[in-house]
Amino acid sequence: MVKSTPSFTSESLAALKQRYADAGQDHVFKFFNDLDDDAAAAFFEQLSGIDIEQCNSFFDRTARKPESPSQQEPDVLEPLASDAFASTLSSSSSSASPEELEAWREEGMRLIRANKVAVMLLAGGQGSRLGSSAPKGCYDIGLPSHKNLFTIQAERIRRLQQIAGEGTIIPWLVMTSGPTMAATKKAFADSDYFGLNADDIFFFNQGVLPCFDMDGKVILESPGRVAVAPDGNGGVYGGMRAGGAVDWMRARGVEHIHSYCVDNCLVRVADPVFLGYASTRGAECGALVVPKKAWDEPVGVICKRNGLYGVVEYSEITHETAQQTRANGELAYNAGNICNHYYSIDFLHTRVPEIEANLEHHVARKKIPYVDDAGETVRPTKPNGIKLERFVFDVFPYVENLAILEVDRKDQFSPLKNGPGAGVDCPETSRSDLIDQCIRFAEAAGAIVQRSADGSQPAFEISGLVTYAGEGLESLSGKTLAGDQLITDLNAVVTV
């Protein structure tokens, strides 16, 4: 029978048991006395690290609220007014002028040169849907270079630092999760931090929460461990504070942060236009959006919900509402959310801690392994429990000045969500979209990229160390380039 270990005393164990009993969760100690000393110490540490009272409150506020539509007032949705956002698309009713775009780009570059900008990568997910147990950022989408997502993004940071000039540093914050932290750190170290300074990279974990059964009881995944799950990408806010990321940025003088998801191979990391736009507007938070492919594309849209900014998921909007159009024929609900955001450091440091106290979680009903009364593991065949999550955009309704910028999907958004062969948002589409972008860069510079006789896409890639967004390729003008090549040096391109 476990009474104490070097990690806890009988008194501290009794106090912990009382806390859980007062919270109605003392069942977690059912098998405690059967554990060996090491397992008991680890379990004591896990239970001590859980704010069980707060977790109960989260469950009560979220999972126990009435779900019947008859018990709730329906949300009032409004599309974004055309003057509520700007667009980089010339075809948009909210299109910015070339002069405005250049002014925003210059302002963004000024902030980058002043070392006032950091980028934050949301990389907590594993590549399980892709058939890989490694962090998703390690995935090779099949480019000629075989660079993984981490490498592609790191090279854009390096190129932007080069453009900005000597002395420019763009710190890179990397949010991981418990299952991916060690593997992510190893991937960075094994790649010599992709050519960046290790001191300019900061790793932190998103938060985790206990899993509950349908009655609100914490689930044991084994006799000596509570089942936990990442608390959604909205866990970035608490994770930053707990991990010291906000303080780290403030100590370095960072004032503006560009945040993005790891699975987007086209992301313009530390996008100067976006940063300049948000900064010029004095925004505390911002979002990039893309026009929807069609009214029924399964993507959330940024709009007004009950008079406040928010993201409405495709499952929450009626077909009739989704098909509404503006006078010019554009979809009214057209601001597709791509999880690409801007924050001011003051917003993260001062406003977010106040906002989080008001945020509810989202309920995800899942199949969660658990131990039965005999201590044996059971793997359910249907959802038996609840995971509580927050989304990164849950702060939007509390934002006083939200800067929304519409960009071209083909330039900045190609998500990797599905496994090989899925035909949409998969490795093949990511590869194709990035190669198409490289071809556009070359052709915009005045080159011709050779296609095969059947017109199929060549294996053509320009390194991110050569160009960030198509700049610096003037020497390609007038040349016909071999389609199947990787350009890493503009003085060594293959022509035909």
Side-chain angles (χ1 to χ4, degrees):
M1 174 178 173
V2 175
K3 292 186 177 180
S4 67
T5 78
S7 300
F8 62 87
T9 65
S10 56
E11 290 80 8
S12 61
L13 176 60
L16 186 65
K17 286 184 174 181
Q18 188 60 53
R19 268 189 59 211
Y20 275 77
D22 292 344
Q25 301 285 4
D26 50 325
H27 64 283
V28 298
F29 289 96
K30 179 180 178 67
F31 304 103
F32 194 87
N33 287 343
D34 299 327
L35 303 175
D36 62 35
D37 285 353
D38 289 342
F43 195 28
F44 180 89
E45 182 178 3
Q46 185 196 29
L47 294 174
S48 298
I50 296 172
D51 187 336
I52 192 60
E53 297 83 5
Q54 185 182 63
C55 291
N56 275 351
S57 175
F58 290 160
F59 184 90
D60 291 341
R61 286 169 52 188
T62 304
R64 296 192 195 279
K65 71 179 181 180
E67 294 186 359
S68 170
S70 63
Q71 295 176 277
Q72 302 181 45
E73 289 294 324
D75 289 331
V76 176
L77 301 183
E78 302 170 73
L80 295 177
S82 57
D83 61 355
F85 67 100
S87 177
T88 64
L89 302 174
S90 59
S91 60
S92 171
S93 58
S94 301
S95 178
S97 69
E99 293 77 18
E100 286 176 311
L101 293 173
E102 181 58 24
W104 296 336
R105 192 192 72 81
E106 282 298 325
E107 173 61 10
M109 289 304 301
R110 184 189 70 80
L111 296 172
I112 290 169
R113 290 187 189 100
N115 292 332
K116 299 295 185 183
V117 171
V119 292
M120 181 165 61
L121 166 61
L122 308 185
Q126 293 173 294
S128 50
R129 287 190 186 179
L130 307 171
S132 170
S133 61
K136 188 179 280 189
C138 295
Y139 196 82
D140 173 3
I141 61 174
L143 293 171
S145 65
H146 291 288
K147 293 172 182 173
N148 62 29
L149 292 167
F150 285 145
T151 305
I152 292 167
Q153 294 157 19
E155 290 187 350
R156 290 183 186 142
I157 294 175
R158 291 173 60 189
R159 173 61 181 168
L160 200 52
Q161 289 180 159
Q162 181 186 45
I163 294 170
E166 187 175 354
T168 300
I169 296 173
I170 302 174
W172 198 10
L173 294 96
V174 182
M175 184 194 81
T176 67
S177 62
T180 63
M181 172 63 91
T184 300
K185 282 187 168 182
K186 184 176 187 303
F188 273 64
D190 289 350
S191 299
D192 197 21
Y193 299 92
F194 310 104
L196 295 165
N197 188 331
D199 293 338
D200 298 327
I201 301 173
F202 189 96
F203 299 92
F204 66 97
N205 264 340
Q206 70 185 102
V208 296
L209 288 173
C211 300
F212 295 87
D213 67 18
M214 300 302 184
D215 296 321
K217 294 295 186 181
V218 169
I219 293 176
L220 288 177
E221 69 176 21
S222 71
R225 184 163 181 80
V226 165
V228 297
D231 54 357
N233 59 20
V236 64
Y237 302 116
M240 274 192 290
R241 288 197 308 280
V246 174
D247 291 338
W248 185 77
M249 286 189 287
R250 293 179 71 225
R252 297 178 69 113
V254 169
E255 298 177 0
H256 309 271
I257 299 94
H258 178 211
S259 171
Y260 67 96
C261 286
V262 70
D263 60 5
N264 179 11
C265 69
L266 295 184
V267 62
R268 290 188 179 173
V269 183
D271 180 5
V273 175
F274 184 32
L275 289 164
Y277 170 68
S279 173
T280 300
R281 287 178 58 99
E284 28 178 39
C285 183
L288 286 187
V289 298
V290 297
K292 295 180 68 175
K293 292 179 179 178
W295 71 265
D296 57 350
E297 181 184 6
V299 62
V301 295
I302 298 180
C303 62
K304 289 287 190 76
R305 188 203 300 258
N306 302 327
L308 303 171
Y309 287 112
V311 173
V312 177
E313 295 296 343
Y314 64 92
S315 58
E316 299 178 292
I317 192 168
T318 66
H319 288 186
E320 180 182 11
T321 299
Q323 293 179 71
Q324 290 180 15
T325 59
R326 302 184 190 274
N328 64 357
E330 293 177 355
L331 288 173
Y333 293 89
N334 200 35
N337 177 48
I338 62 174
C339 199
N340 195 315
H341 300 136
Y342 162 89
Y343 304 100
S344 73
I345 193 68
D346 289 340
F347 179 71
L348 294 177
H349 177 63
T350 304
R351 292 266 289 125
V352 167
E354 300 170 354
I355 291 170
E356 278 193 296
N358 299 311
L359 296 180
E360 291 189 356
H361 288 74
H362 305 270
V363 171
R365 291 176 171 81
K366 301 287 186 178
K367 293 179 286 188
I368 303 170
Y370 65 97
V371 293
D372 61 17
D373 289 340
E376 298 297 322
T377 298
V378 178
R379 300 191 180 278
T381 57
K382 61 182 181 178
N384 66 307
I386 288 173
K387 295 180 180 180
L388 298 179
E389 301 175 322
R390 281 176 175 163
F391 300 142
V392 69
F393 52 74
D394 286 339
V395 300
F396 285 3
Y398 302 89
V399 174
E400 295 172 359
N401 186 354
L402 182 67
I404 303 171
L405 182 64
E406 182 183 62
V407 295
D408 196 331
R409 181 190 297 255
K410 73 177 185 296
D411 289 333
Q412 300 206 41
F413 185 55
S414 180
L416 178 60
K417 304 292 186 185
N418 304 311
V424 61
D425 297 345
C426 61
E428 292 86 357
T429 56
S430 292
R431 175 186 186 274
S432 178
D433 288 344
L434 188 46
I435 287 176
D436 279 346
Q437 183 180 71
C438 291
I439 292 172
R440 288 196 303 275
F441 286 164
E443 292 180 340
I448 297 173
V449 178
Q450 186 184 49
R451 306 300 207 277
S452 60
D454 62 3
S456 60
Q457 185 187 59
F460 183 81
E461 181 183 357
I462 304 176
S463 168
L465 296 175
V466 171
T467 188
Y468 173 82
E471 79 294 329
L473 302 178
E474 295 80 7
S475 64
L476 299 181
S477 180
K479 296 179 179 178
T480 299
L481 306 176
D484 295 337
Q485 67 171 307
L486 166 64
I487 297 177
T488 60
D489 182 348
L490 291 174
N491 294 315
V493 298
V494 180
T495 60
V496 293

